[in-house]
């Protein structure tokens, strides 16, 4: 399995998976809006999207957004978006994507976090040693 940064050529598959991800969070299907959203992220380069790929098949993604923490006085990468296609779940793909996010954070000397809840200001740090348990609370159907 290869984990790499998404590119424009991945747009169709990635947008479809993003729409499925949103649906798993209770949103109505919005394929055109999902495609526009992902296309904007790729073109504007305002997020980093890593995809997990096996041969020519995209198995899932994680999307990271750059931000800053006034409390911690540091830049950070945070994510709310991680998805693995249903047929590929429970194979460690989500964990591999999380490890890639942590690797990016380490390489850029930035904290890697995920928001605990969008309506709260709590962050959960990505832990090198135990990312799977660190994200146990993120075990929505879209992840594992």
């Amino acid at each position: 399995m290869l984990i790499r940064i998404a590119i424009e050529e991945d747009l169709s598959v990635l947008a479809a998976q993003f729409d499925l991800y949103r649906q798993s969070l209770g949103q109505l299907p919005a394929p055109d809006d999902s495609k526009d959203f992902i296309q904007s992220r790729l073109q504007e380069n305002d997020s980093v999207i890593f995809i997990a790929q096996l041969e020519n098949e995209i198995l899932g993604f994680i999307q990271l957004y750059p931000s800053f923490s006034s409390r911690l006085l540091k830049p950070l990468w945070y994510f709310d978006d991680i998805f693995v296609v249903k047929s590929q779940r429970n194979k460690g793909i989500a964990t591999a994507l999380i490890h890639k996010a942590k690797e990016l954070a380490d390489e850029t000397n930035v904290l890697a976090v995920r928001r605990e809840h969008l309506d709260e200001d709590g962050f959960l740090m990505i832990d090198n040693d135990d990312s799977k348990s660190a994200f146990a609370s993120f075990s929505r159907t879209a992840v594992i």
Side-chain angles (χ1 to χ4, degrees):
M1 179 176 61
L2 171 68
I3 297 181
R4 64 173 176 80
I5 291 178
I7 57 175
E8 283 283 330
E9 287 78 14
D10 301 317
L11 178 60
S12 293
V13 174
L14 186 56
Q17 287 185 8
F18 186 75
D19 192 46
L20 290 173
Y21 162 71
R22 292 182 67 258
Q23 290 175 52
S24 77
L25 299 176
Q27 302 299 308
L28 293 174
D32 293 337
D33 292 340
S34 291
K35 184 176 182 181
D36 291 346
F37 182 84
I38 293 297
Q39 186 170 32
S40 292
R41 302 296 64 78
L42 292 171
Q43 289 175 348
E44 295 173 23
N45 202 26
D46 56 5
S47 73
V48 173
I49 305 172
F50 287 113
I51 60 170
Q53 180 177 345
L54 185 60
E55 298 180 17
N56 291 327
E57 185 181 359
I58 296 174
L59 309 176
F61 68 88
I62 187 170
Q63 185 165 205
L64 306 158
Y65 298 93
S67 190
F68 295 91
S69 171
S70 299
R71 246 182 326 167
L72 301 174
L73 301 172
K74 293 186 179 226
L76 54 87
W77 289 103
Y78 83 87
F79 79 90
D80 291 310
D81 307 332
I82 187 168
F83 178 82
V84 175
V85 296
K86 194 170 189 169
S87 66
Q88 298 298 316
R89 294 181 187 161
N90 298 308
K91 297 182 180 182
I93 296 167
T95 300
L97 287 163
I98 291 166
H99 281 290
K100 189 66 172 179
K102 176 62 175 154
E103 184 180 299
L104 173 66
D106 290 344
E107 288 173 2
T108 57
N109 198 26
V110 173
L111 297 175
V113 301
R114 80 163 189 80
R115 285 201 191 265
E116 193 67 355
H117 300 286
L118 285 176
D119 58 348
E120 297 178 15
D121 68 345
F123 290 99
L124 180 65
M125 300 298 184
I126 294 179
D127 186 316
N128 266 339
D129 300 322
D130 198 1
S131 62
K132 187 135 179 120
S133 69
F135 292 97
S137 64
F138 196 72
S139 61
R140 298 180 183 126
T141 56
V143 178
I144 309 276

